């Protein structure tokens, strides 16, 4: 999928090295009048350098024409000429130059002598504190050829602050981390590249490759809606990429959107009639979501001779066509061998309902659970409601019905149907007489009142307070602490988290959220102590690392600790915009403005990718540009920050805008 890091663009190299030989040859200082023992009197040492550059260009031209022997010979001659040139330099007490060292490194790379290539690239690097973009890319290529992808990434990352908007750097970093299966790191760089393309280089050669990569990465990282958006950008131009069309069908299946899933599968069938996978997946979709038309589709598959002689499509076709004899054991056997498939479970459940099999209730619960786990929440709810209708006919089935309503409410919650979830939970509470179940359901109801746009924190507190009197568990205290926090009752919040800690002192979440309440009460020492405890209990608590590091930066204390904490948080979650913003802010405080801009731009691009814009990130970007004496960009970001504020106006921000407007106008 991602081949750019393994192959070179020969036309680009040819043009580049022609340019290099012409433009940099004249830059060799001070040796033109010197003589060399290897040359006739009056012939400058640069004769060897010019021959070396010419041979190198010939080597690339021969490689373009696929004349490998001629190419190898030219690179070997270039090495020999450069050896002579360097001998001439040593005779007058001079060392190899940046140009000659880099040229020699490239020769050895093309000859496959990677150890020598790296050695000469390092010599070139020591000649200048700021390596050129071409030298950095050369070192990256050497590391890639060595199979050292982590070191290749390191080469690029160490210089990225000097080339923060360079598409080649960002693309290679996205690509390298994809190859290393570091999805979060890869999405960071591809998202930043997309940000650059949209604002600076709309005709970039990487535009559609980046869209496709972001589609795949967001799919892997469970951001299906963003994945769809990125894939649609790609398919707008590349309409016949079957791999991507099939992936879109898979994503819509995961989202429970069978209509769009069917649409893409039909597109694949239309564009590639021989495709079996799409045809068979579509058969399962029709069976699970459109039983009234499933028979017609299976008849079509039969005409196309795409019904296999065994497997799930064969079994579903039997059920749809009414050939149920001997089907039950076959389905049970298939499920045993393929426990992860949903369609055979649904088929067996349908068979159990029509044949009145004795284990229908068990199959109903089992199938609904699998549908839920596969995020088919609508399907799971439909299955549960069928099961509920069977139970309702029983006279003493309140506890069973209560369990059904509880499960239905979880499906509704996952669908974002908060009101329905609350009503189903209340039904479940009203039906049960079991004390433990009541406690569990009350907790769930209190939790639901804190979700979505309910703004019913007081109801949540009331329910939890009643439960805590009877059963003061740490989880109930913890949830009430969160409810009090949302009500801005921070003292009560601290009290509940403290009580939860007394019961369960090893739960790091309790310390973290108590720290947030202490912070609101301006009790810094308590906040700091709890955040440190969180990290000691959970070394991967990136949220606590970010929180504490940012607090240190805001208070301008413990700069090294702040830097270490935030770098650690970013290493755990590189694609978290809040963490990138915090790290950028610490670097700003350290007056490392270029690195600060790099991380703040990461934060802004990641936030946009997730569908929101943070005014704090934009204000921080404005502050950095202001420190870099760039008032125009500073004003742009300050205004952008002001436009994204959702609450009351930020007086400091308004003052900065007015001051800059006045300065610019003058």
């Amino acid at each position: 999928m991602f081949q750019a890091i393994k192959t070179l663009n020969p036309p680009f190299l040819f043009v580049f090295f022609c340019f290099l030989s012409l433009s940099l040859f004249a830059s060799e200082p001070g040796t033109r009048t010197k003589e060399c023992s290897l040359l006739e009197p009056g012939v400058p040492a640069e004769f060897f350098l010019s021959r070396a550059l010419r041979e190198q260009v010939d080597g690339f031209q021969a490689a373009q024409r696929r004349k490998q022997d001629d190419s190898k010979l030219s690179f070997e001659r270039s090495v020999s000429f450069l050896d002579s040139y360097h001998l001439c330099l040593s005779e007058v007490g001079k060392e190899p130059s940046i140009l000659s060292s880099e040229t020699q490194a490239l020769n050895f790379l093309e000859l496959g002598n990677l150890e020598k290539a790296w050695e000469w690239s390092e010599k070139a690097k020591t000649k200048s504190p700021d390596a050129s973009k071409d030298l950095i890319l050369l070192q990256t290529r050497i590391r890639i050829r060595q199979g050292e992808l982590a070191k290749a990434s390191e080469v690029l990352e160490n210089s990225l602050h000097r080339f923060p908007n360079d598409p080649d750097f960002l693309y290679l970093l996205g690509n390298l981390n994809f190859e290393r299966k570091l999805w979060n790191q890869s999405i960071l760089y591809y998202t930043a590249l997309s940000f650059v393309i949209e604002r600076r280089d709309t005709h970039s050669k990487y535009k559609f490759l980046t869209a496709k990569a972001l589609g795949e990465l967001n799919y892997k990282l469970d951001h299906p809606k963003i994945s769809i958006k990125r894939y649609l950008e790609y398919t707008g131009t590349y309409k016949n990429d079957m791999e991507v069309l099939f992936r879109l069908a898979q994503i819509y299946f995961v989202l429970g959107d069978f209509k769009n899933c069917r649409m893409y599968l039909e597109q694949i069938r239309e564009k590639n009639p021989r495709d079996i996978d799409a045809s068979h997946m579509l058969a399962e979709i029709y069976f699970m979501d459109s039983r009234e038309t499933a028979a017609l589709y299976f008849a079509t598959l039969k005409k196309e001779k795409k019904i296999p002689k065994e497997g799930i499509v064969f079994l579903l076709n039997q059920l749809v066509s009414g050939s149920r004899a001997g089907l039950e054991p076959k389905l049970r056997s298939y499920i045993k061998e393929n426990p992860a498939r949903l369609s055979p479970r649904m088929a067996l459940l349908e068979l159990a309902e029509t044949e009145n099999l004795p284990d229908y209730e068990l199959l109903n619960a089992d199938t609904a659970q699998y549908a839920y786990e596969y995020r088919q929440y609508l399907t799971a709810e439909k299955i549960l409601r069928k099961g509920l209708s069977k139970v309702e006919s029983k006279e003493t089935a309140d506890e069973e019905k209560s369990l059904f309503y509880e499960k239905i409410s979880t499906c509704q919650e996952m669908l974002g149907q908060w009101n329905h979830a609350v009503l189903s939970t209340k039904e479940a509470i009203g039906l049960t007489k079991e004390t433990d179940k009541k406690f569990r359901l009350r907790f769930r109801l209190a939790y639901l009142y804190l979700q979505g746009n309910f703004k019913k924190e007081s109801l949540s507190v009331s329910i939890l307070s009643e439960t805590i009197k009877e059963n003061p568990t740490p989880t109930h205290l913890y949830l009430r602490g969160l409810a009090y926090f949302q009500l801005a009752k921070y003292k009560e919040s601290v009290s509940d988290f403290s009580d939860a800690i007394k019961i369960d002192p090893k739960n790091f979440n309790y310390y973290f959220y108590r720290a947030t309440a202490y912070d609101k009460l301006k009790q810094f020492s308590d906040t700091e102590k709890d955040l440190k405890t969180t990290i000691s209990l959970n070394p991967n608590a990136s949220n606590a690392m970010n929180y504490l590091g940012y607090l240190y930066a805001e208070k301008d204390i413990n700069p090294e600790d702040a830097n270490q904490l935030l770098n650690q948080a970013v290493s755990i979650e590189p694609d978290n915009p809040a963490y990138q913003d915090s790290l950028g802010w610490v670097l700003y405080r350290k007056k490392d403005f270029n690195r600060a801009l790099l991380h703040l731009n990461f934060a802004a691009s990641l936030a946009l990718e997730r569908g929101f814009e943070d005014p704090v990130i934009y204000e921080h970007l404005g502050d950095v540009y202001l420190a870099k004496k760039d008032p125009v960009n500073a004003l742009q970001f300050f205004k952008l920050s002001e436009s994204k504020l959702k609450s009351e106006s930020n007086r400091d921000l308004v003052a900065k805008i007015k001051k800059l407007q006045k300065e610019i106008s003058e």
Side-chain angles (χ1 to χ4, degrees), residues 380-448:
E381 185 180 352
K382 287 178 185 177
I383 293 168
L384 289 166
R385 289 199 179 278
K386 274 194 175 182
L388 179 61
S389 67
K390 299 275 187 183
V391 173
E392 282 178 336
S393 62
K394 297 180 181 179
E395 291 183 3
T396 58
D398 285 353
E399 294 299 337
E400 289 181 66
K401 286 189 279 185
S402 175
L403 187 58
F404 270 103
Y405 276 115
E406 183 182 358
K407 290 180 177 179
I408 287 169
S409 78
T410 61
C411 295
Q412 292 165 334
E413 176 196 343
M414 299 309 295
L415 291 165
Q417 299 171 356
W418 304 107
N419 283 306
H420 291 294
V422 165
L423 291 173
S424 295
T425 303
K426 286 181 176 179
E427 288 276 6
I429 292 171
L431 287 165
T432 186
K433 291 180 175 59
E434 295 178 10
T435 303
D436 287 345
K437 190 189 285 189
K438 275 191 182 291
F439 286 148
R440 185 179 75 237
L441 290 167
R442 283 180 190 170
F443 180 87
R444 173 164 180 73
L445 186 60
Y447 159 80
L448 289 170

Side-chain angles (χ1 to χ4, degrees), residues 473-505:
T473 66
T475 53
H476 284 82
L477 288 161
Y478 164 68
L479 189 61
R480 191 173 69 174
L482 293 176
Y484 276 133
F485 187 92
Q486 290 187 27
L487 289 166
K489 293 184 177 182
Y490 304 120
K491 289 182 180 179
E492 292 87 344
S493 182
V494 164
S495 177
D496 273 353
F497 290 134
S498 298
D499 288 342
I501 287 167
K502 287 175 187 175
I503 302 170
D504 184 5

Side-chain angles (χ1 to χ4, degrees), residues 607-622:
L608 274 173
E609 183 76 351
R610 306 290 162 81
F612 69 93
E613 294 181 81
D614 189 338
V616 174
I617 296 173
Y618 290 139
E619 185 176 1
H620 286 170
L621 278 164

Side-chain angles (χ1 to χ4, degrees), residues 530-634:
D530 270 0
L531 290 172
K532 285 182 174 180
T533 302
T534 304
I535 295 165
S536 69
L537 290 171
N538 177 18
N540 292 316
S542 55
N543 56 351
M545 294 169 193
N546 176 67
Y547 206 126
L548 185 55
Y550 189 79
L551 283 177
Y552 283 156
E554 279 289 278
K555 294 181 179 299
D556 208 10
I557 60 173
N558 304 334
E560 293 308 315
D561 288 343
N563 190 56
Q564 181 183 345
L565 284 163
L566 291 170
N567 272 297
Q568 196 174 348
V570 165
S571 71
I572 295 169
E573 283 189 67
D575 57 335
N576 188 310
Y579 298 178
Q580 292 288 348
D581 173 60
S582 298
L583 182 55
W585 191 241
V586 165
L587 292 165
Y588 163 75
R589 292 283 191 164
K590 292 175 69 177
K591 301 189 186 308
D592 191 345
F593 301 132
N594 286 339
R595 284 187 173 85
L597 276 180
L598 174 68
H599 289 282
L600 289 170
N601 275 314
F602 282 160
S605 61
L606 287 166
L608 274 173
E609 183 76 351
R610 306 290 162 81
F612 69 93
E613 294 181 81
D614 189 338
V616 174
I617 296 173
Y618 290 139
E619 185 176 1
H620 286 170
L621 278 164
D623 287 328
V624 177
Y625 277 115
L626 189 59
K628 285 172 65 71
K629 303 189 186 309
D630 184 346
V632 174
N633 270 317

